[in-house]
Amino acid sequence: MAQSVGIKDVARVAGVSVGTVSNVINRPDTVATETRARVLSAIDRLGYVRSESARQLRAGRSRIMGLLVLDMGNPFFVDVARGAERAARQAGLGVMVCNSAQSAGEEADYLSLFAEQRVRGVLLTPTDASGRNIDAFRRHGIPFVLVDRVADGTTECSVSVDDVAGGALAVRHLVDAGHRSIAYVSGPPGLNQVRDRRTGALNALTEAGLGPGALRELPTERLDVAAGRDAGARLLGLADRPTAVFCANDLLALGVLQAMYAAGVGVPDDLAIVGYDDIEFAAAAAVPLTSVRQPAVPMGALAAELLLEETEAENGGPRQHEHRRVVLQPELVVRRSSLAAR
């Protein structure tokens, strides 16, 4: 196995001191042009890469921000990561993206990894409804910001979307189209987002003078296309099948759409469908999907900016940081999957 190249090797090849090599790497303006060129040539020849872990030990600060999301298979969280990465890059930081896969155990493992690596801070979409993972992580003193989740019972910053309003937008649209019996394909009941979207749906039914019985809930264990297909199969088996379905995210909605297509059920003529998130695939579906749009990229960027502000304030930066909850507003994007009225 080849040995790694160290700063002493660069100094030996360039014929300078270790301190001079360090200055070329960290403070190049302090080194004469000819000497700097000689050191850079040695670095290039030897393939030297500085040890980030050693630099962090000296500086006491990491240049890495952690991002832990529910499901990187969901394009919504890819967009959140894009926004966070954009803000981090502008601050000279990198982002370590991890996927809890909607597992509290995976979430705990990744939070432990972030603590071991002493990351600058963490952007977190929690999956553990009990809050134990967050409580355990808080003891490490590493700042974190909740993403796509309101910081209930905590003092930390959060950036989320008003999911109650989003659920109301979806179901109000279906009620206005003439539907009086609506299914809600909801996802894991332990997720706040799922519960809030259901609350919004019920609020819209109440506004329309309809009782909660007008909403038939079909829970799923996951928020993916396969779970949507399973929910679609259950929907097809109902004797008094609803005329419309609201799904807790677009992946579930796309799965329901696939199940209807396979069974020969027309969308939207026989069943109207509304999703949530407005991922790129929603508009590109065989029947373009009506969806509640979340500003995913701005959400990730804003969460990263709040985290950077907090970490800078902790290290004597010019700005004072106050924890705050930012709630963004959703938007209904109407497409063909919900346009026909019963």
Side-chain angles (χ1 to χ4, degrees), residues 196-217:
D196 287 349
R197 291 165 197 178
R198 179 180 182 273
T199 298
L202 291 172
N203 289 348
L205 292 175
T206 300
E207 291 172 9
L210 301 172
L215 191 71
R216 298 279 297 275
E217 187 165 0

Side-chain angles (χ1 to χ4, degrees), residues 224-281:
D224 55 25
V225 174
R229 284 195 298 267
D230 175 72
R234 284 183 280 150
L235 186 65
L236 289 167
L238 296 177
D240 53 342
R241 189 171 75 215
T243 62
V245 57
F246 166 45
C247 299
N249 78 356
D250 284 342
L251 296 183
L252 290 172
L254 291 171
V256 171
L257 179 61
Q258 289 179 7
M260 296 305 111
Y261 180 82
V265 174
V267 175
D269 295 327
D270 299 316
L271 182 77
I273 302 176
V274 176
Y276 205 104
D277 289 340
D278 195 33
I279 61 175
E280 184 177 356
F281 299 141

Side-chain angles (χ1 to χ4, degrees), residues 41-332:
S41 175
I43 288 173
D44 183 60
R45 217 178 338 149
L46 295 173
Y48 167 75
V49 178
R50 72 175 178 180
S51 170
E52 178 61 18
S53 59
R55 192 203 66 80
Q56 288 177 199
L57 284 173
R58 290 192 299 271
R61 303 187 71 199
S62 170
R63 293 176 59 244
I64 298 297
M65 177 188 298
L67 171 62
L68 181 57
V69 299
L70 293 180
D71 181 12
M72 281 305 293
N74 185 339
F76 167 74
F77 288 111
V78 175
D79 286 342
V80 170
R82 282 174 50 216
E85 191 268 347
R86 185 179 303 167
R89 282 286 298 275
Q90 290 176 350
L93 303 183
V95 179
M96 180 191 298
V97 181
C98 297
N99 177 24
S100 70
Q102 301 174 46
S103 163
E106 292 284 331
E107 179 180 84
D109 290 343
Y110 279 123
L111 289 175
S112 294
L113 176 64
F114 290 152
E116 291 170 5
Q117 296 296 317
R118 300 304 299 176
V119 296
R120 177 77 63 93
V122 173
L123 305 178
L124 169 64
T125 304
T127 191
D128 177 25
S130 73
R132 285 190 293 268
N133 287 343
I134 289 179
D135 290 340
F137 184 71
R138 190 181 284 112
R139 292 197 294 266
H140 297 290
I142 298 174
F144 65 90
V145 173
L146 300 183
V147 184
D148 195 33
R149 175 70 61 85
V150 175
D152 289 331
T154 71
T155 59
E156 285 79 16
C157 289
S158 66
V159 183
S160 63
V161 166
D162 188 341
D163 284 318
V164 174
L169 282 174
V171 172
R172 192 179 296 124
H173 166 68
L174 292 171
V175 169
D176 289 345
H179 298 282
R180 295 297 179 266
S181 177
I182 300 169
Y184 177 44
V185 178
S186 61
L191 293 178
N192 285 5
Q193 298 94 322
V194 166
R195 295 197 299 269
D196 287 349
R197 291 165 197 178
R198 179 180 182 273
T199 298
L202 291 172
N203 289 348
L205 292 175
T206 300
E207 291 172 9
L210 301 172
L215 191 71
R216 298 279 297 275
E217 187 165 0
L218 297 173
T220 63
E221 293 184 358
R222 301 186 64 79
L223 291 162
D224 55 25
V225 174
R229 284 195 298 267
D230 175 72
R234 284 183 280 150
L235 186 65
L236 289 167
L238 296 177
D240 53 342
R241 189 171 75 215
T243 62
V245 57
F246 166 45
C247 299
N249 78 356
D250 284 342
L251 296 183
L252 290 172
L254 291 171
V256 171
L257 179 61
Q258 289 179 7
M260 296 305 111
Y261 180 82
V265 174
V267 175
D269 295 327
D270 299 316
L271 182 77
I273 302 176
V274 176
Y276 205 104
D277 289 340
D278 195 33
I279 61 175
E280 184 177 356
F281 299 141
V287 179
L289 185 66
T290 295
S291 184
V292 178
R293 176 179 293 165
Q294 298 200 79
V297 173
M299 184 187 300
L302 182 54
E305 289 165 5
L306 287 174
L307 185 61
L308 289 166
E309 180 185 299
E310 181 174 356
T311 59
E312 290 300 324
E314 286 187 346
N315 287 273
R319 298 173 60 186
Q320 293 296 315
H321 176 77
E322 293 183 4
H323 289 311
R324 55 190 187 272
R325 300 178 179 183
V326 179
V327 180
L328 306 174
Q329 292 304 307
E331 173 191 358
L332 181 70

